[in-house]
Amino acid sequence: MVEERAQRVSRGPAREEILGRVRAALADVSPEDRATPAPTPPPGAHLEGDALLERFVERVEDYKATVRRCAPEDLAATVAEALAPLGEGARAVVPSGLDLAVPGAVSDDALTSYDLDGIEAVVTAARVGIAETGTIVLDHGPDQGRRAISLVPDLHVCIVRTDQVVADVPDAVAGLDPTRAMTWISGPSATSDIELDRVEGVHGPRTLHVVLVG
Amino acid sequence: MSATFVGMPPFPTAARQALADTQLRHNLAHATGTIRAKRAKVVGEVEHWEDLRLAGAAVKARALADLETNLVRLEESLTAQGATVHWARDAAEACEVVARVARSHDVDEVVKVKSMATQEIELNEALQAQGIAAWETDLAELIVQLGDDLPSHILVPAIHRNRAEIREIFRSKMSAAGKPAPDDLTDEPAVLAGAARQHLREKFLRAKVAVSGANFAVAETGTLVVVESEGNGRMCLTLPEVLISVVGIEKVVPTFAELDPLLRLLPRSSTGERMNPYTSMWTGVTPGDGPQEVHVVLVDNGRTRALADEVGRQALRCIRCSACLNVCPVYERTGGHAYGSVYPGPIGAILNPLMRGQGDPQVDSLPYASSLCGACFEVCPVRIDIPEVLVHLRSKVVDAHREDRVPKAEAVAMKGTAWAFTDARRLAAGERLSGLAGRVLTRVGKARLPGGRATAGRLPGPGAAWTGARDLPAPPRESFRAWWRRTDGGRAEGPEQSEQKGGE
Ligand code: SF4
């Protein structure tokens, strides 16, 4: 019923009229100008090896996130260390595809938003790290879980492998699958709405720990 | 619930009121100064900034040049990914689509992500009229909504409020809208942000329907992008069952790869950050993740009118970064309200007339709200030549008023000039009159310009609009021609013959 009504709207006169107005408005534009190819944007920052990872750490920390570096065999201990300040009995949502022993782990079995609101932390992997901007991109694959789990709990521990770190935005965009839901995260949530004073921590996780492994 | 811009006076009147508000001017100067410095720093870090601007402009220009193809493609991609696409010719149609979807789910409230498009169509008022509360969740929008106020900046809509005012609004207004502010609320920004977090969390958790805009809509894939800072956007885009996104048709970007230059340009230009805290991308319905019913409303509402203007259509490239507001000497002094629109500042001065056409005195006054200094063009990440469009629109306003029965003051003045200059005797008479006026005015107006020149006070009648916000140098007491005659071209310098004690 709802669908039916919606369909009728989309095929209605508004669509034809808007497209007609667009056509008329652009009557002066030549076919060549219409078919301009996509521009080639300038390259982003060029970084490799240690400089790349150092830049990533520096830029993530610049946005008031905490970064810990560790070897693969120390991952579980490093994640536990990041969760430790929450104290005994604190729980952390762990997505089904993340193969890691996490203290207080809760699996995401159809948790409601209210359930998530009662859980202190979340531990996820990531898809890409961007050094120049200090950004982590989640594409919400099985080791990262659906979007809500990395949003509602107040502390997010995010694991990034060193081989996932790229130099700049163009490198990241080139490797992402646009059909997946994605969240780009640069530091904990923040606002500058009050006198342009930056305050870390509004609605998203107020604390972000990044574990750079490898 | 919230105020609207309907019935705003033309810019000069509104600007005079704003200029008299010293608190406002202080808040604005502080805020725009801070953000200008932040932007300059992070833009300076980018090696190829000018090339990046060229690329950003090219992406948007290309999207607009072939807009029909891109829109049809966007619709196809969205539909293929499980979204329902609606088209709305104007604000009323767009509001009706949103209201109908909301009603079909029997809700009496929706949560909202800050969106210029929904403000433009006055969606909150339309929903309220149908008994649906629309909760703004962006901190600044919340401040504006609770304060029953109007937004004054694209990015920081409450830029005109300082912390003490915000604390007062939270204390007195939060309880009527939901969870009250804590008793020990201080005016620390962190404490105020904490109060907003608590107040809004219950709304996020229970909301069934969310309304958003989009910064970009990718034709090739159907991907929508929302760029934000606080996480309220993620909450709205993720937790509710139904998501309705109201998207202006100019938001389309042809391919996913072309998001690259735009995502590099926007945060640096906007908040002065290398990247904003959160960017969400979603493509129709993602099974098992987020809203399972997704609607996209593609809105015209004057955009095709702007598109038809060959000079003005570049304004549709705007990515709403607000850099042009922050560098504008006029905006910095008058604030956003004087522009009478959700789109203030330099971009508002061109976008409103382009989308709404000529004829409304308020809109017609906007292309004059500029000194044409060009700072806006220099910072614009998509290279919109705002001064060029302003000049073009001024000529359109003049053309539109050519047939008016009551000519504008400028037109009267210009006609008078032409009349006087065509006849030497008239000019001489006019100069005598002006010299007389100069003596009178310098006596009335006590002020002096920074250079020490006397200023004429407020002009009466049609001239009042000009002198209300500017200092008019007093006309010289003696015209050049009178001086020449009296002194024989400077050879016989001597005292002026009459009114020796006049003036200052
Ligand atoms: S006109 Fe340019 S500078 Fe102004 S808001 Fe739009 S994109 Fe930003």
Side-chain angles (χ1 to χ4, degrees):
Chain A
M1 172 67 177
V2 178
E3 280 311 304
E4 252 174 54
R5 253 187 276 142
Q7 287 298 329
R8 223 181 303 142
V9 172
S10 76
R11 295 212 190 93
R15 178 185 191 275
E16 296 320 311
E17 193 173 326
I18 292 171
L19 292 176
R21 288 181 196 169
V22 169
R23 212 171 304 135
L26 293 170
D28 64 294
V29 179
S30 70
E32 300 83 70
D33 285 344
R34 234 163 259 222
T36 317
T40 309
H46 181 77
L47 295 157
E48 280 173 340
D50 285 348
L52 175 71
L53 298 179
E54 275 162 29
R55 179 70 57 88
F56 178 69
V57 172
E58 172 208 322
R59 292 288 155 90
V60 172
E61 285 179 339
D62 201 25
Y63 282 140
K64 307 289 183 323
T66 312
V67 184
R68 288 181 169 78
R69 294 192 64 170
C70 73
E73 59 273 20
D74 299 331
L75 181 58
T78 310
V79 169
E81 191 185 296
L83 292 169
L86 295 176
E88 285 289 311
R91 298 183 303 160
V93 190
V94 179
S96 61
L98 186 63
D99 185 16
L100 189 74
V102 174
V106 180
S107 61
D108 179 21
D109 297 323
L111 296 169
T112 66
S113 303
Y114 288 97
D115 294 336
L116 288 170
D117 195 37
I119 298 176
E120 290 84 353
V122 56
V123 180
T124 73
R127 176 71 183 74
V128 175
I130 307 174
E132 184 64 15
T133 58
T135 303
I136 292 154
V137 183
L138 307 187
D139 71 359
H140 302 284
D143 57 356
Q144 300 151 57
R146 64 193 168 103
R147 285 172 284 171
I149 67 163
S150 45
L151 172 63
V152 182
D154 206 10
L155 181 138
H156 181 188
V157 180
C158 187
I159 302 161
V160 183
R161 294 195 317 267
T162 49
D163 63 6
Q164 290 179 314
V165 179
V166 299
D168 208 342
V169 173
D171 313 290
V173 169
L176 292 169
D177 173 0
T179 61
R180 303 195 61 89
M182 276 180 269
T183 310
W184 296 40
I185 299 171
S186 308
S189 77
T191 183
S192 301
D193 280 351
I194 301 166
E195 297 181 15
L196 292 178
D197 247 6
R198 187 176 161 108
V199 174
E200 269 80 22
V202 196
H203 302 297
R206 286 185 285 189
T207 311
L208 174 66
H209 285 296
V210 175
V211 178
L212 183 59
V213 54
Chain B
M1 187 194 298
S2 61
T4 72
F5 281 110
V6 174
M8 277 289 284
F11 185 82
T13 313
R16 194 175 321 113
Q17 288 160 7
L19 285 167
D21 184 343
T22 49
Q23 179 68 60
L24 173 76
R25 290 178 67 169
H26 174 81
N27 293 358
L28 277 169
H30 170 72
T32 54
T34 308
I35 205 161
R36 277 200 304 270
K38 283 173 73 183
R39 175 196 169 274
K41 179 171 172 283
V42 295
V43 164
E45 280 178 11
V46 179
E47 199 184 338
H48 305 285
W49 183 254
E50 287 309 312
D51 289 340
L52 204 52
R53 287 176 76 209
L54 285 167
V59 167
K60 294 289 291 191
R62 165 177 127 85
L64 292 167
D66 202 10
L67 189 57
E68 187 183 356
T69 311
N70 285 316
L71 287 173
V72 170
R73 204 157 168 217
L74 175 65
E75 182 188 40
E76 281 167 12
S77 321
L78 280 167
T79 311
Q81 297 295 328
T84 304
V85 177
H86 312 261
W87 299 76
R89 280 168 286 203
D90 53 29
E93 231 167 46
C95 290
E96 187 42 40
V97 173
V98 178
R100 197 173 48 232
V101 174
R103 275 201 316 265
S104 73
H105 290 276
D106 278 328
V107 295
D108 59 5
E109 65 173 6
V110 300
V111 285
K112 278 190 67 202
V113 194
K114 174 169 148 26
S115 132
M116 300 307 298
T118 58
Q119 279 175 32
E120 172 196 320
I121 63 172
E122 294 179 351
L123 178 65
N124 295 5
E125 293 72 27
L127 289 178
Q128 195 185 9
Q130 306 217 17
I132 301 166
W135 303 115
E136 293 291 353
T137 64
D138 173 79
L139 179 52
E141 293 286 0
L142 177 72
I143 295 165
V144 168
Q145 186 173 46
L146 289 175
D148 199 12
D149 198 355
L150 289 165
S152 66
H153 188 279
I154 293 177
L155 175 73
V156 200
I159 200 166
H160 56 290
R161 296 288 196 185
N162 64 21
R163 59 184 73 188
E165 294 173 294
I166 294 167
R167 170 173 180 257
E168 214 24 65
I169 292 170
F170 279 12
R171 275 162 57 106
S172 58
K173 300 289 179 61
M174 264 186 178
S175 55
K179 197 176 167 78
D183 290 336
D184 55 353
L185 188 71
T186 69
D187 65 1
E188 270 302 298
V191 173
L192 293 169
R197 176 184 169 98
Q198 284 183 19
H199 177 78
L200 288 171
R201 182 133 305 210
E202 61 173 13
K203 292 191 163 76
F204 290 134
L205 294 177
R206 72 169 183 235
K208 277 175 78 177
V209 177
V211 177
S212 83
N215 293 86
F216 309 108
V218 181
E220 169 194 46
T221 57
T223 307
L224 263 52
V225 182
V226 163
V227 172
E228 54 134 353
S229 294
E230 295 168 13
N232 62 309
R234 291 177 70 191
M235 292 280 176
C236 294
L237 300 170
T238 308
L239 300 185
E241 297 159 22
V242 181
L243 173 61
I244 311 165
S245 303
V246 178
V247 182
I249 54 174
E250 85 285 15
K251 296 289 175 206
V252 69
V253 170
T255 63
F256 187 76
E258 283 166 276
L259 289 176
D260 159 40
L262 299 172
L263 289 174
R264 280 193 271 168
L265 288 162
L266 179 54
R268 289 182 201 258
S269 302
S270 183
T271 46
E273 294 168 308
R274 298 184 188 104
M275 191 58 83
N276 50 291
Y278 297 135
T279 298
S280 294
M281 301 186 183
W282 72 103
T283 302
V285 174
T286 308
D289 185 352
Q292 297 298 294
E293 184 179 323
V294 170
H295 297 264
V296 178
V297 189
L298 298 174
V299 183
D300 180 350
N301 200 36
R303 285 160 177 77
T304 50
R305 186 204 287 262
L307 190 67
D309 186 313
E310 289 177 36
V311 179
R313 66 168 63 119
Q314 57 181 309
L316 295 175
R317 299 206 295 253
C318 176
I319 55 175
R320 312 275 189 263
C321 73
S322 66
C324 58
L325 278 62
N326 302 328
V327 298
C328 178
V330 177
Y331 177 87
E332 184 178 304
R333 285 162 184 82
T334 64
H337 291 157
Y339 295 82
S341 158
V342 298
Y343 303 113
I347 182 61
I350 61 173
L351 202 56
N352 293 301
L354 285 165
M355 285 171 48
R356 289 150 72 177
Q358 280 70 48
D360 176 334
Q362 196 277 327
V363 178
D364 284 355
S365 71
L366 291 177
Y368 296 90
S370 165
S371 64
L372 302 179
C373 76
C376 46
F377 173 54
E378 267 169 51
V379 296
C380 178
V382 286
R383 295 179 55 92
I384 299 169
D385 191 341
I386 296 177
E388 179 194 24
V389 182
L390 283 167
V391 171
H392 165 72
L393 288 170
R394 287 181 187 183
S395 75
K396 283 184 95 164
V397 170
V398 172
D399 284 346
H401 287 275
R402 245 183 243 300
E403 307 304 320
D404 289 4
R405 294 281 216 88
V406 184
K408 285 182 77 89
E410 291 97 329
V412 174
M414 289 305 158
K415 279 212 186 92
T417 311
W419 179 80
F421 274 102
T422 49
D423 184 308
R425 268 172 312 149
R426 283 184 204 152
L427 183 57
E431 282 170 351
R432 279 197 300 280
L433 209 60
S434 163
L436 189 65
R439 293 184 195 111
V440 174
L441 288 170
T442 32
R443 231 176 293 157
V444 174
K446 291 271 181 283
R448 284 198 170 266
L449 293 178
R453 276 180 303 145
T455 76
R458 280 269 173 97
L459 284 178
W466 177 264
T467 50
R470 303 170 185 84
D471 294 316
L472 175 69
R477 296 146 45 89
E478 192 178 22
S479 76
F480 173 77
R481 284 153 49 104
W483 169 82
W484 184 270
R485 243 190 348 265
R486 177 168 60 77
T487 63
D488 190 16
R491 281 183 283 271
E493 186 62 74
E496 218 182 312
Q497 268 142 33
S498 61
E499 280 279 335
Q500 297 301 322
K501 291 173 289 180
E504 295 217 32

